[in-house]
């Protein structure tokens, strides 16, 4: 007899428990070391903005610092300040024009990275141009540049294009991931989530301003039957020949419909599935955890941040950081100190406490970013703590780019929970419990489609607006505004007629006679802004434009607007046959017109073109100020802009017609665009990032003589990719010496002049006040932060005669190009003046030493 086999149920139970345990571990690791896709995208945008700002700041000194004409010519960089492992592209040609071209190209790359156009490619190019620019004139660099290039490098290997990017921009309405039902009707829960709206069968209350009795009298089944009868009658109605543009629209719709069927269903079916799922669960179908992403790339960013702050703490070994006096010495430095810093000098005890708190936060702050408990809230607290710390730095010290890079990088640590809280807050402030705005774009106009796509991708929060083709609005108005009602169906038609008999008995009698002569069918039109005394379509269109104009300037129409729609109901019925006979390009102008943008708000108010665009601005938390400013723009300017947009829209339509069937942006991006990559790419990316994590950790530990297998030859690898770094700012203690420069010159006639103070290096004016006192104001004499680093890292250092020579040549050229004859500069001397700062607030006696003597020309020369 054999042994009894164990039941497989126990094995399955163990496997199930094992899988659940692995899922819990994976979820916890994702919470600790992962990041939100939206935070990754915002990080990409922030870094791109920092690149643009950095290049713009440097461009102010393009001729002086980055060209052959200035203080850093090519031969000086190659011989004294270049690396054998990295050759900057900026050294190809050092002329002013070529450097200006490279600066402009750098900004273009950053803009492409900003908007997410071919994100991976332009992220690489932006990083390369940045490290090339930093290596080109490295003497003006600082710690912020090191952290900046590290963030740009790691940005390449994380998925930053899932949101706020052209690469993944789509017309598909993404479901919001946060809102449950916003309201209920008669005790029955209803889902007003914008993703749950069926665009092919909209709520008539959104579009139709008909009397309330008309809407309440229609039951769901009767409405569906009437809709089917209406479609059948409109199909049987004889239509005149179509215009070429309408033929193209029909072909495009047929192509889109076939594309939908080939994808397993139409767009409405997708939304219906979303609705059912949301109503089934009572919440949005999108799990917030689906926004989380974990890889060694995200871990590398957290590691780099931790290495910067923690190693900076361990570098601060001076007694000033322990007794709390380090901040006092730092904010008394003449160039760095701000007016607010001078004010804080009167509060020495709080300064000591802040000093110790800053030092300790640099050590422990990183652990809040990777907390295993309350991970999201701890990470938010940690990110806010670092931003607050850097905000305190920039309030007291002039640090240039350092604040924007270090504080801006913390946006990558915004957790998923914070995004959800932010979205709920925007819902209350913008939606205010109402339905989302409907935005309709013209599928025959690439201009219209690009504007709608840009607004949806970059400015509108998901859930605040529904973007749909303009054809859907036309079809909806056909199915809702023109609904055939049988006179013998039920009492609903009697109720409808009675609702309008009070004001228009004569018209009703005429209409009833017409109905009896036409197979007992009556037509009811939704209220539109047509004139009482005119039945032309142009009048209808112009009146609607006037309504848009009044609302765009903040003026509300009075209650006569709704009364006007009620009185015009029978007039619209009489106009039905006239409207059905219009089949030209503007055949439905009384309904929509040839517009490039249309919006319908929660109250059913329709706006067109630039008024619709301004209304969309008001629904964007970023563009609300622009929307408010537009209300003050003169009407003449609005008309010019409106005509310009209409002209571009028309030309765009013509080009699309002449393109020979070229796919429109709507056809290309109608459905969600995936950003999936081959699995092997993800594996190789993680292997590479794992090595980078090890390299960064070993490199920084090697600074403290802690060997984790790091070899000196690895420095070559660090220099090639510019991974070299050091975080010894204000270490081991802040400097206690105040220093500045004075340049005493002599003109051709023997007049003594001061060339440095009072912005002398930038204005080159004759200043006859010659002494060794501090410049006042101090920072203006040194210009921006790059100039100060030029003197600190280069000019003041020993063995810098080659740099000082080029600096002297530059002064002679610039001064003598502005002054002639006896006012020409003959010679000058550069002095380094310094004094010591005492802890009691006093300073020692100043001293000076000569750094350089320069003769511009010999007087014997003509």
């Amino acid at each position: 007899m054999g042994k009894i086999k164990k039941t497989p149920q126990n094995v399955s139970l163990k496997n199930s428990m094992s899988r659940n345990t692995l899922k819990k571990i994976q979820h916890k690791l994702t919470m600790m070391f992962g990041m939100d896709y939206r935070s990754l995208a915002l990080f990409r945008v922030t870094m791109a903005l920092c690149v643009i700002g950095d290049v713009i700041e440097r461009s102010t000194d393009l001729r002086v610092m980055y060209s052959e004409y200035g203080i850093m010519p090519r031969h000086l960089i190659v011989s004294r300040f270049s690396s054998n492992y990295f050759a900057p592209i900026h050294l190809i040609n050092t002329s002013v024009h070529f450097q200006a071209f490279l600066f402009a190209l750098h900004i273009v790359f950053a803009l492409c990275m900003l908007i997410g156009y071919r994100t991976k490619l332009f992220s690489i190019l932006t990083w390369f141009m940045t490290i090339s620019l930093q290596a080109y004139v490295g003497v003006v660099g600082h710690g912020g540049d090191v952290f900046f290039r590290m963030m740009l490098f790691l940005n390449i290997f994380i998925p930053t294009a899932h949101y706020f990017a052209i690469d993944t921009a789509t017309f598909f309405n993404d479901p919001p991931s946060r809102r449950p039902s916003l309201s209920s009707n008669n005790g029955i829960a209803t889902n007003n989530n914008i993703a749950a709206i069926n665009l092919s069968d909209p709520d008539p209350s959104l579009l139709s301003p008909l009397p309330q009795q008309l809407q309440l009298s229609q039951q769901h089944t009767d409405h569906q039957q009437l809709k089917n009868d209406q479609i059948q009658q409109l199909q049987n109605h004889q239509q005149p020949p179509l215009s070429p543009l309408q033929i193209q629209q029909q072909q495009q719709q047929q192509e889109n419909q076939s594309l939908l069927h080939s994808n397993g269903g139409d767009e409405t079916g997708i939304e219906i599935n979303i609705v059912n799922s949301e109503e089934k669960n009572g919440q949005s179908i999108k799990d917030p955890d689906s926004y989380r992403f974990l890889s060694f790339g995200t871990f590398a960013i957290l590691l780099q941040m931790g290495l910067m702050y923690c190693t900076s703490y361990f570098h601060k070994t001076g007694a000033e950081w322990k007794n709390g006096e380090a901040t006092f010495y730092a904010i008394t430095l003449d160039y760095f100190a701000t007016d607010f810093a001078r004010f804080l000098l009167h509060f020495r005890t709080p300064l000591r406490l802040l000093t110790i708190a800053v030092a300790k936060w640099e050590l422990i702050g990183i652990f809040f970013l990777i907390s295993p408990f309350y991970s999201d809230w701890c990470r938010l607290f940690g990110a806010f703590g670092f931003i607050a710390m850097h905000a305190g730095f920039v309030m007291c010290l002039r640090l240039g780019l350092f604040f924007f890079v270090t504080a801006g990088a913390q946006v990558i640590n915004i957790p998923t929970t914070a995004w959800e809280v932010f979205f709920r807050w925007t819902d209350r402030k913008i939606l205010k419990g109402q339905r989302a705005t409907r935005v309709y774009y013209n599928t025959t106009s690439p201009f219209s489609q690009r504007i709608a796509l840009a607004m949806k991708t970059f400015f509108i929060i998901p859930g605040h607006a529904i973007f749909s083709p303009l054809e859907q609005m036309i079809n909806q108005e056909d199915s809702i505004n023109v609904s055939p009602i049988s006179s013998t169906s039920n009492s609903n038609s009697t109720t409808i007629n009675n609702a309008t008999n009070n004001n228009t008995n004569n018209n009703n009698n005429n209409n009833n006679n017409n109905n009896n002569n036409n197979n007992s069918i009556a037509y009811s039109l939704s209220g539109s802004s047509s004139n009482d005394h005119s039945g032309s379509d142009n009048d209808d269109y112009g009146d609607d434009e006037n309504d848009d104009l009044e609302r765009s300037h903040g003026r509300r129409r009075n209650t006569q607007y709704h009364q006007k729609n009620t009185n015009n109901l029978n007039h619209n019925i009489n106009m039905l046959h006239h409207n059905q006979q219009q089949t030209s390009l503007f055949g439905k102008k009384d309904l929509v017109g040839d517009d490039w943008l249309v919006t319908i708000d929660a109250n059913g108010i329709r706006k067109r073109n630039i008024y619709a665009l301004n209304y969309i601005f008001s629904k964007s938390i970023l563009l609300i100020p622009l929307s408010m400013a537009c209300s003050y723009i003169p009407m003449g300017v609005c008309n010019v802009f409106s005509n310009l947009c209409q002209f571009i829209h028309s030309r765009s339509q013509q080009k699309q017609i002449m393109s020979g069937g070229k796919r429109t942006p709507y056809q290309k991006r109608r459905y969600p665009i995936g950003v999936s990559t081959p699995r092997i790419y993800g594996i190789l990316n993680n292997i590479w990032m794992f090595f980078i994590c090890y390299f960064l950790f070993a490199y920084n530990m090697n600074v403290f003589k802690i060997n984790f297998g790091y070899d000196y030859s690895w420095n070559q690898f660090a220099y090639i990719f510019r991974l070299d770094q050091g975080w010894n700012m204000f270490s081991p203690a802040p400097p206690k010496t105040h220093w500045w420069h004075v340049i005493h010159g002599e003109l051709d006639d023997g007049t003594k002049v001061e060339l440095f103070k009072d912005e002398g290096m930038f204005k080159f004016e004759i200043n006859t006040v010659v002494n060794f006192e501090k410049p006042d104001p101090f920072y203006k004499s040194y210009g921006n932060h790059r100039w100060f680093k030029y003197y600190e890292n280069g000019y003041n250092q020993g063995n810098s005669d080659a740099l000082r020579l080029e600096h002297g040549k530059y002064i002679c050229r610039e001064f003598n190009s502005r002054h002639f004859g006896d006012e020409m500069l003959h010679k000058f001397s550069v002095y380094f003046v310094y004094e010591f700062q005492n802890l009691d607030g006093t300073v020692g006696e100043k001293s000076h030493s000569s750094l350089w003597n320069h003769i511009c020309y010999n007087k014997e020369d003509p």
Side-chain angles (χ1 to χ4, degrees):
M1 299 203 43
K3 296 182 179 179
I4 299 177
K5 294 183 180 181
K6 295 182 178 180
T7 58
Q9 298 173 348
N10 295 333
V11 178
S12 303
L13 181 60
K14 290 182 179 180
N15 292 337
S16 177
M17 294 177 62
S18 177
R19 286 194 297 268
N20 291 335
T21 302
L22 290 177
K23 288 182 179 180
K24 290 181 180 179
I25 295 175
Q26 181 182 3
H27 178 71
K28 180 57 67 176
L29 291 175
T30 304
M31 296 281 287
M32 293 175 59
F33 304 107
M35 294 171 179
D36 192 285
Y37 280 112
R38 295 161 292 190
S39 300
L40 296 175
L42 187 59
F43 173 76
R44 182 200 79 235
V45 172
T46 304
M47 290 298 103
L49 290 174
C50 288
V51 171
I52 296 172
D54 181 40
V55 176
I56 291 176
E57 181 196 37
R58 290 175 183 263
S59 64
T60 58
D61 298 311
L62 175 64
R63 183 172 175 269
V64 181
M65 284 190 177
Y66 303 96
S67 71
E68 191 71 22
Y69 183 83
I71 58 179
M72 297 293 292
R74 187 177 188 276
H75 68 87
L76 176 63
I77 296 174
V78 172
S79 61
R80 299 299 302 275
F81 297 98
S82 64
S83 171
N84 295 328
Y85 304 105
F86 183 82
I89 192 176
H90 293 74
L91 285 176
I92 294 178
N93 188 322
T94 56
S95 65
V96 176
H97 296 91
F98 187 77
Q99 293 299 315
F101 167 74
L102 290 181
F103 275 50
L105 191 64
H106 196 172
I107 293 178
V108 170
F109 290 164
L111 284 173
C112 293
M113 172 182 162
L114 171 68
I115 63 178
Y117 174 71
R118 300 195 176 183
T119 310
K120 193 69 66 178
L121 171 63
F122 284 105
S123 295
I124 296 173
L125 293 176
T126 302
W127 163 76
F128 176 76
M129 292 295 291
T130 301
I131 63 174
S132 175
L133 183 58
Q134 291 182 1
Y136 177 43
V137 187
V139 71
V140 300
H142 52 77
D145 292 330
V146 179
F147 185 74
F148 192 21
R149 65 174 179 248
M150 289 306 306
M151 292 295 102
L152 289 176
F153 174 75
L154 297 176
N155 172 73
I156 299 172
F157 305 101
I158 56 177
T160 61
H162 280 68
Y163 290 90
F164 320 136
I166 291 180
D167 290 345
T168 54
T170 174
F171 289 100
F172 183 81
N173 290 299
D174 224 2
S177 65
R178 59 217 179 263
R179 283 192 293 279
S181 298
L182 296 177
S183 62
S184 61
N185 265 337
N186 300 326
I188 302 174
T190 59
N191 193 340
N192 289 331
N193 195 314
I194 61 97
I197 294 178
N198 183 351
L199 297 181
S200 67
D201 188 14
D203 186 351
S205 64
L206 286 179
L207 299 177
S208 174
L210 284 173
Q212 188 175 6
Q213 295 90 335
L214 177 61
Q215 299 173 11
L216 296 177
S217 64
Q218 294 176 334
Q219 301 296 329
H220 176 72
T221 55
D222 292 335
H223 174 73
Q224 187 65 30
Q225 181 64 34
L226 292 175
K227 178 181 174 184
N228 295 336
D229 295 340
Q230 168 208 356
I231 294 174
Q232 183 66 28
Q233 173 146 357
L234 291 179
Q235 288 177 350
N236 295 333
H237 187 73
Q238 184 178 0
Q239 296 291 341
L242 300 177
S243 66
L245 182 57
Q246 288 179 317
I247 293 175
Q248 184 193 15
Q249 291 177 354
Q250 278 193 355
Q251 293 174 351
Q252 178 179 331
Q253 291 176 357
Q254 293 174 1
E255 178 185 352
N256 294 339
Q257 188 66 22
S258 62
L259 180 60
L260 282 166
H261 288 301
S262 66
N263 282 277
D266 58 12
E267 191 173 14
T268 304
I270 294 174
E271 292 178 354
I272 289 174
N273 292 334
I274 294 174
V275 172
N276 294 337
S277 179
E278 287 186 345
E279 291 178 347
K280 179 179 180 180
N281 298 327
Q283 301 241 351
S284 174
I285 64 168
K286 199 156 188 178
D287 183 7
D289 286 341
S290 63
Y291 290 103
R292 303 183 191 273
F293 172 78
L294 173 66
S295 73
F296 277 106
T298 59
F299 179 78
I301 291 179
L302 292 171
L303 177 64
Q304 179 61 77
M305 290 181 178
L307 290 172
M308 180 182 72
Y309 292 117
C310 291
T311 57
S312 175
Y313 169 80
F314 287 109
H315 276 299
K316 294 178 172 62
T317 58
E320 293 80 2
W321 288 104
K322 298 178 181 179
N323 58 28
E325 299 294 349
T327 300
F328 168 78
Y329 287 112
I331 65 178
T332 55
L333 297 175
D334 293 299
Y335 175 79
F336 292 101
T338 63
D339 294 336
F340 181 71
R342 296 186 180 93
F343 169 76
L344 290 180
L345 290 176
H346 301 287
F347 307 94
R348 296 294 294 275
T349 300
L351 279 180
R352 296 188 186 96
L353 296 177
L354 287 173
T355 302
I356 298 174
V358 165
K360 298 302 181 182
W361 178 254
E362 286 185 338
L363 177 63
I364 67 174
I366 187 63
F367 296 102
F368 283 92
L369 301 181
I370 56 175
S371 171
F373 309 104
Y374 302 100
S375 301
D376 279 4
W377 293 112
C378 287
R379 176 168 291 188
L380 182 63
F381 176 78
F384 179 79
F386 283 118
I387 293 175
M389 182 182 71
H390 289 293
F393 289 165
V394 78
M395 291 172 64
C396 299
L397 303 171
R398 294 183 177 89
L399 298 175
L401 182 70
F402 183 79
F403 164 75
F404 299 100
V405 173
T406 52
Q410 291 300 324
V411 300
I412 202 172
N413 290 317
I414 299 177
T416 301
T417 302
W419 283 103
E420 302 306 316
V421 171
F422 171 73
F423 285 149
R424 285 196 292 269
W425 177 80
T426 57
D427 288 348
R428 293 194 300 269
K429 296 298 182 180
I430 296 180
L431 287 185
K432 299 178 180 179
Q434 296 180 339
R435 293 180 182 270
T437 299
R438 296 191 179 213
V439 181
Y440 296 93
Y441 49 87
N442 197 320
T443 55
T444 66
S445 170
F447 168 72
S448 171
Q449 298 164 44
R450 291 189 178 100
I451 288 181
L453 191 62
M455 296 299 300
K456 180 179 182 296
T457 303
F458 297 106
F459 300 107
I460 299 297
I461 294 177
H464 289 186
I466 305 173
F467 290 78
S468 306
L470 195 58
E471 289 81 358
Q472 290 191 9
M473 180 180 176
I474 300 176
N475 295 335
Q476 290 162 8
E477 293 196 350
D478 285 343
S479 61
I480 297 173
N481 300 346
V482 185
S483 53
I485 304 174
S486 175
S487 60
T488 61
S489 58
N490 51 32
S491 60
N492 291 337
S493 61
T494 305
T495 303
I496 297 170
N497 292 328
N498 291 335
T500 58
N501 275 339
N502 295 332
N503 298 322
T504 56
N505 291 327
N506 294 332
N507 288 335
N508 257 347
N509 294 331
N510 295 333
N511 289 330
N512 290 333
N513 293 332
N514 292 333
N515 292 338
N516 294 330
N517 295 330
N518 291 281
N519 299 326
S520 299
I521 293 178
Y523 293 86
S524 63
L525 293 179
S526 68
S528 62
S529 55
S530 55
N531 293 331
D532 294 339
H533 53 79
S534 175
S536 65
D537 298 330
N538 293 334
D539 290 339
D540 296 341
Y541 183 86
D543 191 79
D544 200 10
E545 286 286 356
N546 292 333
D547 293 342
D548 295 341
L549 178 60
E550 292 181 5
R551 296 187 193 101
S552 67
H553 285 73
R555 295 192 296 268
R556 297 290 185 182
R557 295 177 63 88
N558 54 29
T559 57
Q560 294 179 356
Y561 174 78
H562 300 286
Q563 185 66 29
K564 172 183 174 182
N565 290 325
T566 304
N567 294 336
N568 287 340
L569 178 61
N570 292 317
H571 169 72
N572 290 330
I573 295 175
N574 293 330
M575 289 298 299
L576 170 65
H577 299 287
H578 175 69
N579 290 333
Q580 288 180 336
Q581 293 174 359
Q582 294 181 353
T583 56
S584 64
L585 176 61
F586 302 100
K588 293 178 179 178
K589 199 167 186 178
D590 62 315
L591 299 179
V592 176
D594 187 27
D595 300 317
W596 50 271
L597 198 65
V598 177
T599 60
I600 300 178
D601 63 13
N603 298 320
I605 299 176
R606 182 174 62 195
K607 297 180 183 295
R608 292 170 168 172
N609 302 331
I610 63 170
Y611 307 109
L613 183 62
N614 185 44
Y615 185 73
I616 299 175
F617 288 169
S618 67
K619 295 301 178 181
S620 169
I621 195 169
L622 296 176
L623 300 179
I624 286 178
L626 179 59
S627 175
M628 297 173 63
C630 288
S631 62
Y632 297 98
I633 298 178
M635 282 305 305
V637 177
C638 292
N639 292 334
V640 171
F641 182 73
S642 177
N643 294 334
L644 177 62
C645 291
Q646 193 66 34
F647 173 76
I648 298 174
H649 163 63
S650 301
R651 293 296 299 271
S652 177
Q653 286 181 312
Q654 295 175 9
K655 289 183 179 180
Q656 181 61 33
I657 294 174
M658 301 301 295
S659 63
K662 183 179 178 181
R663 298 180 67 194
T664 63
Y666 171 70
Q667 292 173 323
K668 295 177 182 178
R669 298 180 177 270
R670 183 173 184 180
Y671 300 104
I673 298 176
V675 289
S676 60
T677 54
R679 186 176 181 83
I680 186 63
Y681 172 82
I683 296 174
L684 294 177
N685 184 79
N686 277 285
I687 293 174
W688 169 250
M689 282 290 97
F690 175 79
F691 169 74
I692 292 298
C693 290
Y694 164 74
F695 179 85
L696 294 177
F697 182 78
Y699 184 95
N700 282 274
M701 292 300 102
N702 187 63
V703 175
F704 298 98
K705 309 301 180 183
I706 302 175
N707 191 357
F708 279 87
Y710 187 86
D711 188 80
Y712 179 77
S713 61
W714 290 13
N715 287 340
Q716 300 178 11
F717 173 80
Y719 295 144
I720 290 175
F721 290 96
R722 296 310 312 270
L723 304 179
D724 52 304
Q725 52 191 270
W727 311 109
N728 56 348
M729 298 82 73
F730 293 111
S731 300
K736 304 179 182 64
T737 303
H738 300 177
W739 56 266
W740 62 93
H741 296 90
V742 295
I743 303 178
H744 295 171
E746 182 180 318
L747 302 183
D748 189 79
D749 60 0
T751 303
K752 304 297 182 180
V753 294
E754 169 60 48
L755 301 175
F756 187 83
K757 291 186 288 188
D758 296 332
E759 304 180 65
M761 284 292 299
F762 309 104
K763 295 181 178 179
F764 293 100
E765 297 176 351
I766 296 177
N767 181 7
T768 57
V769 180
V770 181
N771 53 48
F772 291 93
E773 300 298 325
K774 289 182 183 179
D776 186 23
F778 191 93
Y779 68 94
K780 287 187 177 180
S781 296
Y782 278 95
N784 57 39
H785 197 67
R786 301 291 178 186
W787 274 100
F788 184 81
K789 286 298 179 181
Y790 167 81
Y791 287 105
E792 183 183 41
N793 299 336
Y795 203 93
N796 294 348
Q797 303 301 317
N799 196 24
S800 298
D801 289 347
L803 186 145
R804 295 168 184 169
L805 175 62
E806 297 300 331
H807 180 266
K809 291 179 179 179
Y810 170 76
I811 292 177
C812 292
R813 287 196 304 268
E814 290 296 316
F815 192 93
N816 291 334
S817 66
R818 293 170 170 82
H819 306 278
F820 308 96
D822 293 340
E823 293 183 349
M824 292 181 64
L825 180 63
H826 170 52
K827 61 181 180 180
F828 63 87
S829 299
V830 181
Y831 296 95
F832 178 79
V833 189
Y834 56 94
E835 62 186 13
F836 291 98
Q837 176 69 50
N838 299 321
L839 191 58
D840 59 2
T842 62
V843 294
E845 185 179 355
K846 57 180 174 289
S847 303
H848 66 270
S849 60
S850 178
L851 293 180
W852 183 252
N853 298 312
H854 194 92
I855 299 177
C856 296
Y857 61 91
N858 295 323
K859 283 195 174 183
E860 291 78 9
D861 297 339

